[in-house]
Amino acid sequence: MKKGFIAVFLVIALLVPMTVFAAAVKIGVINSMTGPEAPIGENLTNGIKLAQEDLKKKGINVDLVWEDDTGKPQIAMSAMEKLATRENVAGVVGPYTSACANAVAKLSEKYKVPLLVPAAAKEEITRQGYKWVYRMNAPADVYASVLIDATMSLGKPKTIAFIYENTDFGTSTTKTAKEYVMKKGLQVVADEPYSKGSPDYRSTLTKIKAKKPDLVFMVSYVADAILLMRQAREIGLQPQAFLGGGAGFTTVQFAKEKEISNCVLSCTQWTDDVSWPGARDFGARYKAKFGKEPTYHAACAYESMMIMAQTAAQSAGDREKTRAALKAGKWNGIMGEVRFADYAGFTNQNNHQMLVQQIQEGKYETVYPKQFATKKTVYPFPAWK
Amino acid sequence: MIVFFQSLLSGVLIGGVYALIGIGLTIIFGVMRIINFAHGDIMMIGMYLAYNLFTLAGVDPFLSIVIIVPVMFLFGALLQKLFINRILNALPQNQILLTIGLGLIMSNTMMLIFTSDYKILSTTYSSSSVNLFGISISEPLAISFAITAAITAALYWFFLKTDTGQAIRATAQDREAAQLMGINVKRMSIIACGVGAALAGTAGALISPTYYIFPQIGSAFTLKAFVITVLGGMGSVLGATLGGVVIGIAESMGAVYISSGWKDVVVFILFLLILLFKPSGLMGKSRT
């Protein structure tokens, strides 16, 4: 009898840690699920959902704790506190906006929780020497440099005008863009930040038109991109090229407005026609499942979740081990090669190759760098009809 | 010089739409002494109505106001009858909470139905313009300005010449005295609230071909309507019209001659200055 008990006890003792090991790894997600940034936030949510499916196929059960920051840094911060202290997650993926990600980064360092930022571009996020903060996407300086490089390879622009929203994303992208164009010998003729959500940019655009810039560089989220281009057409602003810095200029909604979006150049972190492993397949699956085209945010979030969950599962949910494994690891997926390196003042930053795409007849075509190009660039910008 | 006139014109045109929102708010305030914090959300509902009429039934957004005006009038009247009427004598903070709450319910209901995606209403003329001496005039804005002007004129006539209009003004001036004179104050409140909502909805429809639509858009316009109303003098229709145009021009000029990032600051400084030097607003009469 006694022996029997011991045997049962031993079996249980063996099983318990096994089940604990096979139990789901807990990962937190902070994203803008509601609020003004929700249309793009939805892409991140969907990308993460696809990642969860794929992880399951690989035998990794992920227990996701979803937190909605509504686009506000203070809410993102309280979400992080909750995830770090009460939920005890192994790692966090998110938040979407730069302002939220930058605020949360400080907390992840304080609570020692690995944070993988999928798509926020503000440079400072990975420029503060944080050990626990990792970033998938290329930071804001690359947004500008890849676009300027692309146009410099196409023509000989001399002057450039900037119009951008006065948020972390807009100012940060533009600040480095200005430094970069000065290095390249371009002259900045207009520098116009705007507060987003106003119905009328005509007066600002008229001011820019009077300066006759060769390039017009814009940074905005979804709907402002459409308004800016509509009103640019109305007043007849005619540069050699319109450059859109990510976000609003990379959405299907924008491309659909063919009258105004045709031939606009924008930079992106990802397209589904690029040769990175699984990119095309991801695009097709996303479309089939959600009935929409994915933006680059979806791909960034997908790959971030894949990496974070796999690393955390291998480290059995241990935060310190996860952090070390993220630092040492190397991946090759739909975002191309991913490695979290230290360079040019950045820490744990994936030196991601950004792409330039042009909207041609309502479709995004990759046009730069050459090895990823699917179509030839239309340059200069054709006259408004 | 072209830049100056362009921004002046843009300001006036966009100010016209602001005016329409402001007039709606000022009428509701005038008659019921309630600041309707759901005003922007009512406008948002007008936008969604215009959007759906356009995408589902192919009704032009400018024509759709023929349907939107009566629908929104009923909606506003219903709001007054069901909710606002019950708190007419309540503490001001309770009234504010009620209208804020109604606004939240509206915006979140719309989010449940239409998701938070930005909706863009693209008509054939959405980004077309007429060029006049180098100044471009946005066609949809010009049309909506003309409609606004017509509506304002009609309202003016309604308030000055018709019996109902005079009864509403009497209620606005002194609720109790009006009641003693045999005016059905309750009905006037319902009409005023309906007219206010109809105007906000119309403003939404008029701006929808040039702007974008999403459930949370209301709050920004509520604030703007509030500033316009106070600037013009609370309860004054003419003041709200003037206030709307002034705000439109201030925004537009501020964007050009200071910086677009600072245009809201320009508006609020202007607002503060008027409050300092003419606390009752441009057209307002002091109530003491």
PDB file of all heavy atoms in Angstrom, chain A residues 352-365:
ATOM      1  N   HIS A 352      16.973  47.261 -39.766  1.00  0.00           N
ATOM      2  CA  HIS A 352      16.044  46.776 -40.767  1.00  0.00           C
ATOM      3  C   HIS A 352      16.169  47.543 -42.080  1.00  0.00           C
ATOM      4  O   HIS A 352      16.266  48.765 -42.075  1.00  0.00           O
ATOM      5  CB  HIS A 352      14.625  46.902 -40.206  1.00  0.00           C
ATOM      6  CG  HIS A 352      13.560  46.409 -41.115  1.00  0.00           C
ATOM      7  ND1 HIS A 352      13.446  45.097 -41.466  1.00  0.00           N
ATOM      8  CD2 HIS A 352      12.559  47.061 -41.754  1.00  0.00           C
ATOM      9  CE1 HIS A 352      12.425  44.956 -42.292  1.00  0.00           C
ATOM     10  NE2 HIS A 352      11.865  46.130 -42.476  1.00  0.00           N
ATOM     11  N   GLN A 353      16.146  46.824 -43.166  1.00  0.00           N
ATOM     12  CA  GLN A 353      16.181  47.460 -44.487  1.00  0.00           C
ATOM     13  C   GLN A 353      14.791  47.964 -44.842  1.00  0.00           C
ATOM     14  O   GLN A 353      13.863  47.180 -45.007  1.00  0.00           O
ATOM     15  CB  GLN A 353      16.636  46.440 -45.535  1.00  0.00           C
ATOM     16  CG  GLN A 353      16.444  46.876 -46.971  1.00  0.00           C
ATOM     17  CD  GLN A 353      17.315  48.065 -47.350  1.00  0.00           C
ATOM     18  OE1 GLN A 353      18.527  48.044 -47.166  1.00  0.00           O
ATOM     19  NE2 GLN A 353      16.686  49.142 -47.845  1.00  0.00           N
ATOM     20  N   MET A 354      14.648  49.280 -44.949  1.00  0.00           N
ATOM     21  CA  MET A 354      13.337  49.796 -45.353  1.00  0.00           C
ATOM     22  C   MET A 354      13.225  49.815 -46.869  1.00  0.00           C
ATOM     23  O   MET A 354      14.222  49.766 -47.582  1.00  0.00           O
ATOM     24  CB  MET A 354      13.104  51.190 -44.784  1.00  0.00           C
ATOM     25  CG  MET A 354      12.718  51.146 -43.319  1.00  0.00           C
ATOM     26  SD  MET A 354      12.135  52.718 -42.713  1.00  0.00           S
ATOM     27  CE  MET A 354      10.449  52.739 -43.326  1.00  0.00           C
ATOM     28  N   LEU A 355      11.993  49.885 -47.348  1.00  0.00           N
ATOM     29  CA  LEU A 355      11.737  49.848 -48.777  1.00  0.00           C
ATOM     30  C   LEU A 355      11.020  51.126 -49.194  1.00  0.00           C
ATOM     31  O   LEU A 355      10.349  51.759 -48.389  1.00  0.00           O
ATOM     32  CB  LEU A 355      10.831  48.660 -49.110  1.00  0.00           C
ATOM     33  CG  LEU A 355      11.237  47.318 -48.528  1.00  0.00           C
ATOM     34  CD1 LEU A 355      10.071  46.360 -48.565  1.00  0.00           C
ATOM     35  CD2 LEU A 355      12.421  46.745 -49.275  1.00  0.00           C
ATOM     36  N   VAL A 356      11.171  51.494 -50.457  1.00  0.00           N
ATOM     37  CA  VAL A 356      10.386  52.608 -50.987  1.00  0.00           C
ATOM     38  C   VAL A 356       9.370  52.031 -51.954  1.00  0.00           C
ATOM     39  O   VAL A 356       9.707  51.205 -52.799  1.00  0.00           O
ATOM     40  CB  VAL A 356      11.279  53.628 -51.712  1.00  0.00           C
ATOM     41  CG1 VAL A 356      10.429  54.676 -52.417  1.00  0.00           C
ATOM     42  CG2 VAL A 356      12.210  54.294 -50.721  1.00  0.00           C
ATOM     43  N   GLN A 357       8.146  52.447 -51.788  1.00  0.00           N
ATOM     44  CA  GLN A 357       7.119  51.973 -52.710  1.00  0.00           C
ATOM     45  C   GLN A 357       6.415  53.154 -53.347  1.00  0.00           C
ATOM     46  O   GLN A 357       6.385  54.256 -52.802  1.00  0.00           O
ATOM     47  CB  GLN A 357       6.126  51.074 -51.978  1.00  0.00           C
ATOM     48  CG  GLN A 357       5.541  51.699 -50.737  1.00  0.00           C
ATOM     49  CD  GLN A 357       4.653  50.748 -49.962  1.00  0.00           C
ATOM     50  OE1 GLN A 357       4.462  49.616 -50.361  1.00  0.00           O
ATOM     51  NE2 GLN A 357       4.106  51.230 -48.872  1.00  0.00           N
ATOM     52  N   GLN A 358       5.862  52.894 -54.515  1.00  0.00           N
ATOM     53  CA  GLN A 358       5.119  53.943 -55.206  1.00  0.00           C
ATOM     54  C   GLN A 358       3.735  53.407 -55.507  1.00  0.00           C
ATOM     55  O   GLN A 358       3.582  52.243 -55.875  1.00  0.00           O
ATOM     56  CB  GLN A 358       5.822  54.321 -56.506  1.00  0.00           C
ATOM     57  CG  GLN A 358       5.145  55.491 -57.211  1.00  0.00           C
ATOM     58  CD  GLN A 358       5.972  56.009 -58.367  1.00  0.00           C
ATOM     59  OE1 GLN A 358       6.515  55.228 -59.143  1.00  0.00           O
ATOM     60  NE2 GLN A 358       6.066  57.320 -58.490  1.00  0.00           N
ATOM     61  N   ILE A 359       2.743  54.260 -55.350  1.00  0.00           N
ATOM     62  CA  ILE A 359       1.395  53.835 -55.684  1.00  0.00           C
ATOM     63  C   ILE A 359       1.196  54.013 -57.175  1.00  0.00           C
ATOM     64  O   ILE A 359       1.363  55.117 -57.702  1.00  0.00           O
ATOM     65  CB  ILE A 359       0.340  54.645 -54.900  1.00  0.00           C
ATOM     66  CG1 ILE A 359       0.582  54.459 -53.412  1.00  0.00           C
ATOM     67  CG2 ILE A 359      -1.070  54.196 -55.266  1.00  0.00           C
ATOM     68  CD1 ILE A 359      -0.151  55.434 -52.561  1.00  0.00           C
ATOM     69  N   GLN A 360       0.921  52.923 -57.849  1.00  0.00           N
ATOM     70  CA  GLN A 360       0.656  53.006 -59.274  1.00  0.00           C
ATOM     71  C   GLN A 360      -0.715  52.391 -59.523  1.00  0.00           C
ATOM     72  O   GLN A 360      -0.917  51.220 -59.299  1.00  0.00           O
ATOM     73  CB  GLN A 360       1.750  52.282 -60.065  1.00  0.00           C
ATOM     74  CG  GLN A 360       3.119  52.933 -59.837  1.00  0.00           C
ATOM     75  CD  GLN A 360       4.244  52.292 -60.621  1.00  0.00           C
ATOM     76  OE1 GLN A 360       4.059  51.290 -61.294  1.00  0.00           O
ATOM     77  NE2 GLN A 360       5.431  52.867 -60.535  1.00  0.00           N
ATOM     78  N   GLU A 361      -1.640  53.224 -59.961  1.00  0.00           N
ATOM     79  CA  GLU A 361      -3.010  52.792 -60.221  1.00  0.00           C
ATOM     80  C   GLU A 361      -3.631  52.075 -59.016  1.00  0.00           C
ATOM     81  O   GLU A 361      -4.193  50.989 -59.146  1.00  0.00           O
ATOM     82  CB  GLU A 361      -3.060  51.889 -61.473  1.00  0.00           C
ATOM     83  CG  GLU A 361      -2.682  52.598 -62.762  1.00  0.00           C
ATOM     84  CD  GLU A 361      -3.480  53.884 -62.977  1.00  0.00           C
ATOM     85  OE1 GLU A 361      -4.699  53.855 -62.773  1.00  0.00           O
ATOM     86  OE2 GLU A 361      -2.861  54.909 -63.320  1.00  0.00           O
ATOM     87  N   GLY A 362      -3.474  52.659 -57.855  1.00  0.00           N
ATOM     88  CA  GLY A 362      -4.119  52.100 -56.659  1.00  0.00           C
ATOM     89  C   GLY A 362      -3.393  50.924 -56.044  1.00  0.00           C
ATOM     90  O   GLY A 362      -3.880  50.338 -55.087  1.00  0.00           O
ATOM     91  N   LYS A 363      -2.226  50.563 -56.582  1.00  0.00           N
ATOM     92  CA  LYS A 363      -1.485  49.437 -55.998  1.00  0.00           C
ATOM     93  C   LYS A 363      -0.106  49.889 -55.552  1.00  0.00           C
ATOM     94  O   LYS A 363       0.537  50.724 -56.190  1.00  0.00           O
ATOM     95  CB  LYS A 363      -1.324  48.322 -57.038  1.00  0.00           C
ATOM     96  CG  LYS A 363      -2.487  47.339 -57.028  1.00  0.00           C
ATOM     97  CD  LYS A 363      -2.061  46.028 -57.679  1.00  0.00           C
ATOM     98  CE  LYS A 363      -1.045  45.297 -56.815  1.00  0.00           C
ATOM     99  NZ  LYS A 363      -0.495  44.121 -57.436  1.00  0.00           N
ATOM    100  N   TYR A 364       0.341  49.316 -54.430  1.00  0.00           N
ATOM    101  CA  TYR A 364       1.685  49.630 -53.959  1.00  0.00           C
ATOM    102  C   TYR A 364       2.696  48.778 -54.697  1.00  0.00           C
ATOM    103  O   TYR A 364       2.584  47.552 -54.729  1.00  0.00           O
ATOM    104  CB  TYR A 364       1.791  49.356 -52.468  1.00  0.00           C
ATOM    105  CG  TYR A 364       1.139  50.415 -51.621  1.00  0.00           C
ATOM    106  CD1 TYR A 364      -0.082  50.192 -51.016  1.00  0.00           C
ATOM    107  CD2 TYR A 364       1.760  51.655 -51.449  1.00  0.00           C
ATOM    108  CE1 TYR A 364      -0.687  51.176 -50.246  1.00  0.00           C
ATOM    109  CE2 TYR A 364       1.167  52.639 -50.680  1.00  0.00           C
ATOM    110  CZ  TYR A 364      -0.060  52.396 -50.078  1.00  0.00           C
ATOM    111  OH  TYR A 364      -0.641  53.371 -49.330  1.00  0.00           O
ATOM    112  N   GLU A 365       3.674  49.418 -55.327  1.00  0.00           N
ATOM    113  CA  GLU A 365       4.738  48.684 -56.010  1.00  0.00           C
ATOM    114  C   GLU A 365       6.065  49.068 -55.368  1.00  0.00           C
ATOM    115  O   GLU A 365       6.354  50.249 -55.198  1.00  0.00           O
ATOM    116  CB  GLU A 365       4.773  49.045 -57.505  1.00  0.00           C
ATOM    117  CG  GLU A 365       3.464  48.823 -58.249  1.00  0.00           C
ATOM    118  CD  GLU A 365       3.171  47.350 -58.504  1.00  0.00           C
ATOM    119  OE1 GLU A 365       4.049  46.510 -58.218  1.00  0.00           O
ATOM    120  OE2 GLU A 365       2.063  47.040 -58.981  1.00  0.00           O
TER     121      GLU A 365
END
